[in-house]
Amino acid sequence: MAETARPIHPLTTDEAWAFTASRASATTFFFDFDGVLSPVTDDPDASQPVPEVLGVLERLADSVARVAIVSARPVSFLRSRFETLDNVDLHGLYGLEVWHDGQVVTEPAALEFVPAMTELAEQARTGLPAEILVEYKRLSVALHYRTAPEQSRAVERWAHEQAERLGLRIQHGRMVVELKPPVDQDKGMVITESVRNAGCAWYFGDDMSDIKAFDALRAREAVDPAFFGMAVAVANPETGAEVSSAADLTLESPDAVAAFLTEGLRRF
């Protein structure tokens, strides 16, 4: 396919797809998991990709240079949902873990915090109200208050106290507070590193941590006039307005993401 001139923001989806199809061999698609490929659920362990996602990601991976999922979930969880997809890279825990070519690589600086996270999870289960769901991820602990929003301030106060005590970092999300190791790694850094040699990249996100990924696409465009980045937000009642304001395009749901990709793939 003949190359299409790099579109300028703001742009239409037709322009974005046309450019992407013309540079498919140099294009990467990145996706958050929760809220993008799967609906957000009260119980994080119950989250599953919407039915069309596996097939559309497989077709996408066959059409472009690379497809990757960049999530707050551990790689072990992502593998359990996408084990049939051989050509999709997985970046877990904001990039502290990476699954690529059949191997998991963990950021060495984070490993020393595994004992602290194990202890922290136990303290959270005994020290916080019973309705707070404590998600232990080995290298981080997420405190979900979706089923008890009235407890948000108490959860955040407890989390900040523990972060100060243990020298951890706080990550806010959709009805969740997460404690992480003090290691310089986030979704924006994952995208910055991953697009160094790309000619085009899309990122689909729904939460505050995804804005850093959007910013990484913009930064790459600023230093490389030939690069094109497309930031796609997925609407939601909690962080949707802030994320959408940082994006080029907003889709209504994970089902809409799958339908959007299916339609776009017809360009290839």
Side-chain angles (χ1 to χ4, degrees):
M1 178 180 291
E3 288 198 350
T4 302
R6 176 184 181 271
I8 304 298
H9 301 284
L11 72 166
T12 67
T13 55
D14 284 344
E15 290 172 328
W17 277 119
F19 181 86
T20 301
S22 75
R23 288 165 172 76
S25 62
T27 293
T28 298
F29 275 77
F30 300 95
F31 302 89
D32 185 14
F33 176 72
D34 293 285
V36 173
L37 301 178
S38 166
V40 171
T41 58
D42 290 345
D43 179 0
D45 287 338
S47 296
Q48 295 285 345
V50 297
E52 298 81 8
V53 156
L54 293 178
V56 76
L57 289 186
E58 187 170 25
R59 294 195 300 276
L60 188 63
D62 288 338
S63 301
V64 300
R66 182 180 178 223
V67 173
I69 297 169
V70 186
S71 173
R73 298 299 192 115
V75 161
S76 59
F77 174 90
L78 297 173
R79 282 288 298 154
S80 72
R81 270 42 177 188
F82 298 102
E83 60 185 350
T84 62
L85 300 182
D86 294 328
N87 298 321
V88 175
D89 293 334
L90 306 174
H91 297 262
L93 301 176
Y94 307 94
L96 292 178
E97 296 179 333
V98 181
W99 172 272
H100 179 69
D101 288 341
Q103 297 184 53
V104 179
V105 178
T106 302
E107 171 58 50
L111 287 173
E112 67 181 87
F113 289 89
V114 171
M117 293 301 174
T118 303
E119 178 185 355
L120 183 65
E122 289 304 314
Q123 291 175 336
R125 292 186 179 106
T126 58
L128 289 171
E131 58 267 39
I132 303 305
L133 192 152
V134 179
E135 184 184 10
Y136 170 67
K137 305 182 185 181
R138 191 174 74 104
L139 297 179
S140 70
V141 175
L143 309 173
H144 299 266
Y145 52 88
R146 178 168 296 277
T147 61
E150 71 281 0
Q151 299 286 354
S152 62
R153 290 188 178 181
V155 172
E156 292 197 12
R157 182 169 58 250
W158 188 90
H160 280 276
E161 290 172 354
Q162 301 307 314
E164 184 174 351
R165 179 175 70 87
L166 298 171
L168 303 176
R169 291 182 180 174
I170 293 286
Q171 175 69 57
H172 294 277
R174 293 178 58 183
M175 312 293 280
V176 61
V177 180
E178 187 163 4
L179 293 114
K180 308 189 301 180
V183 177
D184 286 331
Q185 185 63 61
D186 58 37
K187 292 182 178 182
M189 296 173 70
V190 171
I191 303 309
T192 297
E193 182 62 30
S194 298
V195 301
R196 290 191 189 280
N197 298 314
C200 175
W202 293 57
Y203 187 97
F204 293 70
D206 74 309
D207 213 341
M208 301 305 294
S209 61
D210 298 309
I211 294 177
K212 291 183 177 181
F214 294 170
D215 291 343
L217 295 181
R218 297 287 172 264
R220 179 64 183 168
E221 285 185 327
V223 298
D224 182 358
F227 176 84
F228 172 67
M230 187 71 172
V232 183
V234 181
N236 68 82
E238 291 122 14
T239 59
E242 291 172 275
V243 180
S244 291
S245 67
D248 300 303
L249 168 70
T250 298
L251 301 174
E252 291 303 313
S253 67
D255 286 306
V257 170
F260 179 77
L261 294 172
T262 299
E263 180 63 28
L265 279 169
R266 295 176 183 172
R267 299 276 195 153
F268 290 77

